[in-house]
Amino acid sequence: MKLRKVTAASAVVLALALSATACSSNDKKDEGSSGGGGKVKVGIKFDQPGLGLKQPDGSFSGFDVDVATYVAKELGYKPAQIEWVETKSAERENALARGDVKFIVATYSINDERKQKVDFAGPYLLAHQDLLVKADSNISKGTDLNGKKLCSVVGSTSAQNVQKSIAPKAALKENAGYSECIAGLQSGAVDAVTTDDSILAGFASQDNYKGQFKLAGLKLSNENYGVGVKKGDTATVDKINSALEKMVGDGSWDAAVKKNFGPAGYKNEPAPKIGDIVK
């Protein structure tokens, strides 16, 4: 009887040990180690050419996509292990808080209000508010917009900044998306489009627009793009910062800028110092 009790107890211990080993193995896969089969969910924009764009064949392209892919690689994930999740501007904080994504690379400007809700790695790009005009346009400074038609999206602070402090006599036209603004610029319905220069350069770099537009280069504001991470996840922030430093150091950052923004004549700022302004 004593022998049977010992044997049964041993079996229970063995079963628990095997169960713990299995859980440990699965956890390791979820972390995306190089040998694991886990996935990582990454938030990007789906509708911004040159930054985050979903192609008709289901693939993704853009500077943010290239940055996110590089970061994921350094975290232990292969491209096939990345699950891209569309994170529109209004939903970015919620997506991180709910755990819908591990991190977000989506023209996510770092500011004090957002830092109360999420943590940031980076910045990985310094953009500026600018104007996109036709290649033969004589608009070269903000005040030239007085009496001109300016386009931006509904609720854009960019257009409001221009009207309030630069060109109060500019006629503002608001559309649902920047694609409509760019089409209006092409047709002559508007004289200029305003938002971040990186976004404008991405649209202007599309094959059907190449050579038609130029950036005015006005640098109307500073927009430091960061990688959004769930509040309190300092370990992931540190890993992403290390990945970004490596991307800048090995030349991959410069190559991604040239590939995604080059056709628009985008005069980018040098890579920002990683870790600045994020705390």
Side-chain angles (χ1 to χ4, degrees):
M1 290 297 294
K2 288 184 180 181
L3 180 60
R4 287 180 183 176
K5 288 182 179 180
V6 171
T7 302
S10 300
V12 170
V13 171
L14 178 60
L16 290 172
L18 289 172
S19 176
T21 302
C23 290
S24 176
S25 176
N26 287 336
D27 288 345
K28 191 173 182 180
K29 285 184 178 182
D30 289 341
E31 290 172 1
S33 58
S34 57
K39 294 275 189 179
V40 62
K41 293 183 178 181
V42 180
I44 59 170
K45 294 291 182 67
F46 278 20
D47 59 354
Q48 289 185 340
L51 287 153
L53 182 67
K54 185 175 183 178
Q55 303 287 357
D57 64 0
S59 62
F60 296 88
S61 66
F63 182 71
D64 283 352
V65 174
D66 289 345
V67 169
T69 301
Y70 192 101
V71 167
K73 178 193 70 174
E74 293 303 307
L75 295 181
Y77 298 94
K78 298 177 181 178
Q81 293 175 279
I82 301 173
E83 182 179 335
W84 301 110
V85 178
E86 183 176 22
T87 48
K88 297 182 178 181
S89 296
E91 280 299 310
R92 288 178 297 204
E93 286 84 11
N94 291 333
L96 287 169
R98 291 192 301 259
D100 295 345
V101 293
K102 181 72 172 177
F103 59 90
I104 292 176
V105 189
T107 60
Y108 206 175
S109 295
I110 302 168
N111 62 39
D112 290 338
E113 182 181 354
R114 288 170 178 164
K115 285 191 288 185
Q116 301 302 312
K117 302 175 183 178
V118 304
D119 284 338
F120 284 101
Y124 64 90
L125 183 73
L126 173 57
H128 304 284
Q129 183 188 341
D130 201 356
L131 303 175
L132 188 70
V133 297
K134 282 193 171 182
D136 60 356
S137 174
N138 58 7
I139 296 175
S140 60
K141 55 186 182 296
T143 53
D144 291 338
L145 289 171
N146 282 311
K148 302 290 187 181
K149 296 176 182 176
L150 175 66
C151 190
S152 194
V153 299
V154 176
S156 167
T157 57
S158 298
Q160 293 168 11
N161 289 341
V162 171
Q163 276 196 318
K164 183 177 180 180
S165 57
I166 299 171
K169 294 182 180 179
L172 176 59
K173 179 177 177 57
E174 294 181 302
N175 285 318
Y178 288 110
S179 295
E180 293 93 332
C181 284
I182 303 298
L185 182 60
Q186 184 183 42
S187 69
V190 299
D191 300 297
V193 181
T194 187
T195 188
D196 296 356
D197 53 6
S198 58
I199 297 174
L200 296 173
F203 276 102
S205 296
Q206 294 182 95
D207 289 338
N208 55 324
Y209 292 136
K210 283 181 181 177
Q212 297 185 43
F213 308 129
K214 66 181 180 182
L215 289 163
L218 301 186
K219 298 184 179 180
L220 301 174
S221 71
N222 293 329
E223 306 294 338
N224 285 281
Y225 292 169
V227 179
V229 177
K230 187 174 183 178
K231 191 70 178 176
D233 190 358
T234 56
T236 298
V237 169
D238 291 343
K239 290 176 183 178
I240 292 176
N241 278 336
S242 295
L244 293 173
E245 289 174 349
K246 183 176 179 181
M247 185 178 187
V248 172
D250 67 15
S252 298
W253 187 90
D254 283 318
V257 169
K258 184 177 181 180
K259 181 184 78 172
N260 293 293
F261 303 129
Y266 179 57
K267 296 179 176 61
N268 65 283
E269 297 281 3
K273 183 178 179 181
I274 309 303
D276 275 3
I277 79 164
V278 298
K279 293 183 179 180

Short mmCIF file of all heavy atoms in Angstrom, two decimals, residues 49-51 62-63 66 125 132 197-207 209-215 253-268:
data_model
loop_
_atom_site.label_atom_id
_atom_site.label_comp_id
_atom_site.label_asym_id
_atom_site.label_seq_id
_atom_site.Cartn_x
_atom_site.Cartn_y
_atom_site.Cartn_z
N PRO A 49 0.62 56.74 -47.82
CA PRO A 49 1.72 56.37 -48.73
C PRO A 49 3.05 56.89 -48.21
O PRO A 49 3.14 58.00 -47.69
CB PRO A 49 1.34 57.07 -50.04
CG PRO A 49 -0.13 57.25 -49.96
CD PRO A 49 -0.44 57.50 -48.51
N GLY A 50 4.08 56.08 -48.34
CA GLY A 50 5.40 56.46 -47.89
C GLY A 50 5.64 56.20 -46.42
O GLY A 50 6.78 56.21 -45.96
N LEU A 51 4.58 55.95 -45.67
CA LEU A 51 4.70 55.73 -44.23
C LEU A 51 4.10 54.40 -43.81
O LEU A 51 4.80 53.51 -43.34
CB LEU A 51 4.05 56.89 -43.48
CG LEU A 51 4.86 58.18 -43.53
CD1 LEU A 51 3.97 59.40 -43.40
CD2 LEU A 51 5.93 58.18 -42.45
N GLY A 62 6.20 51.41 -46.60
CA GLY A 62 6.34 52.73 -46.01
C GLY A 62 7.45 52.78 -44.97
O GLY A 62 7.95 51.75 -44.50
N PHE A 63 7.85 53.99 -44.62
CA PHE A 63 8.93 54.18 -43.65
C PHE A 63 8.58 53.60 -42.29
O PHE A 63 9.40 52.93 -41.67
CB PHE A 63 9.24 55.68 -43.53
CG PHE A 63 10.37 55.98 -42.60
CD1 PHE A 63 11.67 55.68 -42.94
CD2 PHE A 63 10.13 56.59 -41.37
CE1 PHE A 63 12.73 55.97 -42.09
CE2 PHE A 63 11.18 56.88 -40.50
CZ PHE A 63 12.48 56.56 -40.86
N ASP A 66 8.94 49.93 -42.42
CA ASP A 66 10.34 49.51 -42.40
C ASP A 66 10.93 49.62 -41.00
O ASP A 66 11.67 48.73 -40.55
CB ASP A 66 11.16 50.36 -43.37
CG ASP A 66 10.84 50.07 -44.83
OD1 ASP A 66 10.22 49.02 -45.09
OD2 ASP A 66 11.20 50.88 -45.70
N LEU A 125 12.03 59.86 -35.94
CA LEU A 125 11.98 60.79 -37.06
C LEU A 125 11.51 62.15 -36.56
O LEU A 125 10.57 62.23 -35.78
CB LEU A 125 11.02 60.30 -38.15
CG LEU A 125 10.95 61.18 -39.41
CD1 LEU A 125 12.23 61.02 -40.24
CD2 LEU A 125 9.73 60.79 -40.28
N LEU A 132 2.50 71.38 -49.29
CA LEU A 132 2.75 70.73 -50.57
C LEU A 132 2.06 71.57 -51.64
O LEU A 132 0.87 71.89 -51.52
CB LEU A 132 2.20 69.30 -50.59
CG LEU A 132 2.58 68.46 -51.82
CD1 LEU A 132 4.07 68.12 -51.77
CD2 LEU A 132 1.75 67.18 -51.89
N ASP A 197 5.48 67.17 -43.10
CA ASP A 197 6.19 67.04 -44.37
C ASP A 197 6.42 65.59 -44.76
O ASP A 197 6.43 65.26 -45.95
CB ASP A 197 7.52 67.80 -44.33
CG ASP A 197 8.41 67.45 -43.15
OD1 ASP A 197 8.09 66.52 -42.38
OD2 ASP A 197 9.45 68.12 -42.97
N SER A 198 6.57 64.70 -43.79
CA SER A 198 6.78 63.29 -44.10
C SER A 198 5.54 62.70 -44.77
O SER A 198 5.65 61.90 -45.73
CB SER A 198 7.11 62.50 -42.83
OG SER A 198 6.07 62.64 -41.87
N ILE A 199 4.36 63.07 -44.30
CA ILE A 199 3.11 62.58 -44.90
C ILE A 199 2.94 63.14 -46.29
O ILE A 199 2.60 62.42 -47.24
CB ILE A 199 1.91 62.96 -44.00
CG1 ILE A 199 2.03 62.27 -42.63
CG2 ILE A 199 0.59 62.58 -44.68
CD1 ILE A 199 0.96 62.70 -41.63
N LEU A 200 3.21 64.43 -46.46
CA LEU A 200 3.11 65.06 -47.77
C LEU A 200 4.09 64.44 -48.76
O LEU A 200 3.76 64.19 -49.92
CB LEU A 200 3.36 66.57 -47.65
CG LEU A 200 2.35 67.36 -46.82
CD1 LEU A 200 2.83 68.80 -46.64
CD2 LEU A 200 0.96 67.33 -47.46
N ALA A 201 5.32 64.19 -48.31
CA ALA A 201 6.33 63.59 -49.17
C ALA A 201 5.92 62.19 -49.60
O ALA A 201 6.16 61.78 -50.74
CB ALA A 201 7.68 63.55 -48.45
N GLY A 202 5.29 61.46 -48.69
CA GLY A 202 4.84 60.11 -49.03
C GLY A 202 3.80 60.12 -50.13
O GLY A 202 3.87 59.32 -51.08
N PHE A 203 2.84 61.02 -50.04
CA PHE A 203 1.83 61.12 -51.10
C PHE A 203 2.45 61.55 -52.41
O PHE A 203 2.15 61.00 -53.47
CB PHE A 203 0.73 62.11 -50.69
CG PHE A 203 -0.35 61.52 -49.84
CD1 PHE A 203 -0.38 61.74 -48.47
CD2 PHE A 203 -1.34 60.73 -50.40
CE1 PHE A 203 -1.37 61.19 -47.68
CE2 PHE A 203 -2.35 60.18 -49.62
CZ PHE A 203 -2.36 60.42 -48.25
N ALA A 204 3.34 62.55 -52.36
CA ALA A 204 3.95 63.07 -53.58
C ALA A 204 4.86 62.05 -54.26
O ALA A 204 5.13 62.16 -55.45
CB ALA A 204 4.75 64.33 -53.27
N SER A 205 5.32 61.05 -53.49
CA SER A 205 6.22 60.04 -54.05
C SER A 205 5.50 58.93 -54.79
O SER A 205 6.14 58.08 -55.41
CB SER A 205 7.07 59.42 -52.92
OG SER A 205 7.91 60.39 -52.33
N GLN A 206 4.17 58.91 -54.76
CA GLN A 206 3.43 57.89 -55.48
C GLN A 206 3.67 58.03 -56.99
O GLN A 206 3.84 59.13 -57.51
CB GLN A 206 1.93 58.02 -55.19
CG GLN A 206 1.55 57.71 -53.76
CD GLN A 206 0.06 57.82 -53.54
OE1 GLN A 206 -0.66 56.83 -53.60
NE2 GLN A 206 -0.42 59.03 -53.30
N ASP A 207 3.67 56.91 -57.67
CA ASP A 207 3.99 56.90 -59.09
C ASP A 207 3.13 57.86 -59.91
O ASP A 207 3.61 58.51 -60.83
CB ASP A 207 3.85 55.48 -59.65
CG ASP A 207 4.95 54.55 -59.15
OD1 ASP A 207 6.01 55.06 -58.74
OD2 ASP A 207 4.76 53.32 -59.15
N TYR A 209 1.95 60.63 -59.09
CA TYR A 209 2.14 62.04 -58.75
C TYR A 209 3.58 62.52 -58.92
O TYR A 209 3.86 63.71 -58.79
CB TYR A 209 1.73 62.31 -57.30
CG TYR A 209 0.25 62.18 -57.02
CD1 TYR A 209 -0.20 61.52 -55.89
CD2 TYR A 209 -0.69 62.74 -57.88
CE1 TYR A 209 -1.56 61.41 -55.62
CE2 TYR A 209 -2.05 62.63 -57.62
CZ TYR A 209 -2.47 61.98 -56.49
OH TYR A 209 -3.82 61.87 -56.23
N LYS A 210 4.50 61.63 -59.23
CA LYS A 210 5.92 61.98 -59.26
C LYS A 210 6.18 63.14 -60.21
O LYS A 210 5.74 63.15 -61.35
CB LYS A 210 6.76 60.77 -59.67
CG LYS A 210 6.95 59.75 -58.56
CD LYS A 210 7.80 58.58 -58.99
CE LYS A 210 7.95 57.57 -57.86
NZ LYS A 210 8.72 56.38 -58.27
N GLY A 211 6.91 64.13 -59.69
CA GLY A 211 7.29 65.28 -60.49
C GLY A 211 6.26 66.39 -60.55
O GLY A 211 6.55 67.48 -61.06
N GLN A 212 5.07 66.16 -60.01
CA GLN A 212 4.01 67.16 -60.11
C GLN A 212 4.00 68.15 -58.94
O GLN A 212 3.53 69.28 -59.10
CB GLN A 212 2.64 66.48 -60.17
CG GLN A 212 2.43 65.60 -61.39
CD GLN A 212 1.01 65.06 -61.46
OE1 GLN A 212 0.05 65.77 -61.21
NE2 GLN A 212 0.88 63.78 -61.78
N PHE A 213 4.53 67.72 -57.78
CA PHE A 213 4.46 68.53 -56.58
C PHE A 213 5.84 68.77 -55.97
O PHE A 213 6.82 68.09 -56.31
CB PHE A 213 3.57 67.87 -55.53
CG PHE A 213 2.21 67.46 -56.03
CD1 PHE A 213 1.73 66.18 -55.83
CD2 PHE A 213 1.41 68.37 -56.71
CE1 PHE A 213 0.47 65.80 -56.28
CE2 PHE A 213 0.15 68.01 -57.17
CZ PHE A 213 -0.32 66.72 -56.97
N LYS A 214 5.90 69.73 -55.06
CA LYS A 214 7.11 69.98 -54.30
C LYS A 214 6.74 70.44 -52.89
O LYS A 214 5.65 70.97 -52.65
CB LYS A 214 7.97 71.05 -54.98
CG LYS A 214 7.33 72.44 -55.00
CD LYS A 214 8.21 73.45 -55.70
CE LYS A 214 7.55 74.85 -55.74
NZ LYS A 214 8.38 75.85 -56.45
N LEU A 215 7.65 70.21 -51.96
CA LEU A 215 7.48 70.69 -50.59
C LEU A 215 8.03 72.11 -50.49
O LEU A 215 9.09 72.41 -51.04
CB LEU A 215 8.22 69.77 -49.62
CG LEU A 215 7.61 68.38 -49.40
CD1 LEU A 215 8.64 67.46 -48.78
CD2 LEU A 215 6.38 68.47 -48.53
N TRP A 253 18.44 53.08 -41.42
CA TRP A 253 17.54 54.23 -41.27
C TRP A 253 17.64 55.14 -42.48
O TRP A 253 16.63 55.53 -43.07
CB TRP A 253 17.87 54.98 -39.99
CG TRP A 253 16.91 56.07 -39.63
CD1 TRP A 253 15.79 55.97 -38.86
CD2 TRP A 253 16.99 57.45 -40.02
NE1 TRP A 253 15.16 57.20 -38.75
CE2 TRP A 253 15.88 58.12 -39.46
CE3 TRP A 253 17.89 58.18 -40.80
CZ2 TRP A 253 15.65 59.49 -39.64
CZ3 TRP A 253 17.66 59.54 -40.99
CH2 TRP A 253 16.55 60.18 -40.42
N ASP A 254 18.85 55.49 -42.87
CA ASP A 254 19.05 56.37 -44.04
C ASP A 254 18.48 55.72 -45.30
O ASP A 254 17.87 56.40 -46.13
CB ASP A 254 20.53 56.66 -44.23
CG ASP A 254 21.05 57.69 -43.24
OD1 ASP A 254 20.34 58.68 -42.99
OD2 ASP A 254 22.16 57.51 -42.72
N ALA A 255 18.70 54.42 -45.45
CA ALA A 255 18.21 53.72 -46.63
C ALA A 255 16.68 53.74 -46.69
O ALA A 255 16.09 53.91 -47.77
CB ALA A 255 18.71 52.28 -46.63
N ALA A 256 16.03 53.60 -45.54
CA ALA A 256 14.57 53.61 -45.50
C ALA A 256 14.02 55.00 -45.83
O ALA A 256 13.00 55.12 -46.51
CB ALA A 256 14.09 53.17 -44.12
N VAL A 257 14.68 56.06 -45.36
CA VAL A 257 14.26 57.42 -45.69
C VAL A 257 14.34 57.65 -47.18
O VAL A 257 13.40 58.17 -47.81
CB VAL A 257 15.12 58.46 -44.93
CG1 VAL A 257 14.87 59.86 -45.48
CG2 VAL A 257 14.81 58.43 -43.44
N LYS A 258 15.46 57.29 -47.77
CA LYS A 258 15.66 57.51 -49.21
C LYS A 258 14.66 56.72 -50.04
O LYS A 258 14.10 57.23 -51.01
CB LYS A 258 17.09 57.10 -49.59
CG LYS A 258 17.43 57.38 -51.05
CD LYS A 258 18.88 57.03 -51.35
CE LYS A 258 19.21 57.32 -52.81
NZ LYS A 258 20.63 56.99 -53.12
N LYS A 259 14.40 55.49 -49.65
CA LYS A 259 13.48 54.64 -50.41
C LYS A 259 12.06 55.17 -50.38
O LYS A 259 11.37 55.18 -51.40
CB LYS A 259 13.50 53.21 -49.84
CG LYS A 259 12.59 52.24 -50.58
CD LYS A 259 12.56 50.86 -49.93
CE LYS A 259 11.69 50.84 -48.70
NZ LYS A 259 11.50 49.48 -48.14
N ASN A 260 11.62 55.65 -49.24
CA ASN A 260 10.21 56.02 -49.09
C ASN A 260 9.89 57.47 -49.38
O ASN A 260 8.76 57.80 -49.76
CB ASN A 260 9.75 55.67 -47.66
CG ASN A 260 9.73 54.19 -47.40
OD1 ASN A 260 8.92 53.47 -47.97
ND2 ASN A 260 10.62 53.70 -46.54
N PHE A 261 10.87 58.37 -49.21
CA PHE A 261 10.60 59.79 -49.38
C PHE A 261 11.39 60.46 -50.50
O PHE A 261 11.10 61.59 -50.89
CB PHE A 261 10.89 60.56 -48.08
CG PHE A 261 10.14 60.06 -46.88
CD1 PHE A 261 10.79 59.76 -45.70
CD2 PHE A 261 8.77 59.90 -46.92
CE1 PHE A 261 10.11 59.32 -44.58
CE2 PHE A 261 8.06 59.46 -45.81
CZ PHE A 261 8.73 59.17 -44.65
N GLY A 262 12.40 59.79 -50.99
CA GLY A 262 13.31 60.38 -51.96
C GLY A 262 12.67 61.01 -53.19
O GLY A 262 13.04 62.12 -53.59
N PRO A 263 11.71 60.35 -53.83
CA PRO A 263 11.13 60.90 -55.06
C PRO A 263 10.48 62.27 -54.91
O PRO A 263 10.29 62.98 -55.89
CB PRO A 263 10.07 59.84 -55.44
CG PRO A 263 10.59 58.58 -54.85
CD PRO A 263 11.21 58.99 -53.55
N ALA A 264 10.14 62.69 -53.69
CA ALA A 264 9.48 63.99 -53.48
C ALA A 264 10.48 65.09 -53.15
O ALA A 264 10.09 66.23 -52.90
CB ALA A 264 8.46 63.88 -52.36
N GLY A 265 11.77 64.77 -53.16
CA GLY A 265 12.76 65.76 -52.80
C GLY A 265 12.71 66.12 -51.32
O GLY A 265 12.99 67.24 -50.93
N TYR A 266 12.35 65.17 -50.49
CA TYR A 266 12.20 65.39 -49.05
C TYR A 266 13.56 65.63 -48.41
O TYR A 266 14.45 64.78 -48.49
CB TYR A 266 11.53 64.17 -48.43
CG TYR A 266 11.32 64.22 -46.93
CD1 TYR A 266 10.61 65.25 -46.34
CD2 TYR A 266 11.82 63.21 -46.12
CE1 TYR A 266 10.39 65.27 -44.97
CE2 TYR A 266 11.61 63.21 -44.74
CZ TYR A 266 10.90 64.26 -44.18
OH TYR A 266 10.69 64.28 -42.82
N LYS A 267 13.73 66.79 -47.81
CA LYS A 267 14.98 67.13 -47.12
C LYS A 267 14.81 66.79 -45.65
O LYS A 267 14.44 67.65 -44.84
CB LYS A 267 15.32 68.60 -47.34
CG LYS A 267 15.61 68.96 -48.80
CD LYS A 267 15.91 70.44 -48.95
CE LYS A 267 16.28 70.79 -50.38
NZ LYS A 267 15.23 70.50 -51.35
N ASN A 268 15.08 65.56 -45.33
CA ASN A 268 14.85 65.10 -43.96
C ASN A 268 15.90 65.63 -43.00
O ASN A 268 17.03 65.94 -43.38
CB ASN A 268 14.83 63.58 -43.92
CG ASN A 268 16.18 62.97 -44.26
OD1 ASN A 268 16.54 62.91 -45.44
ND2 ASN A 268 16.94 62.53 -43.27
#
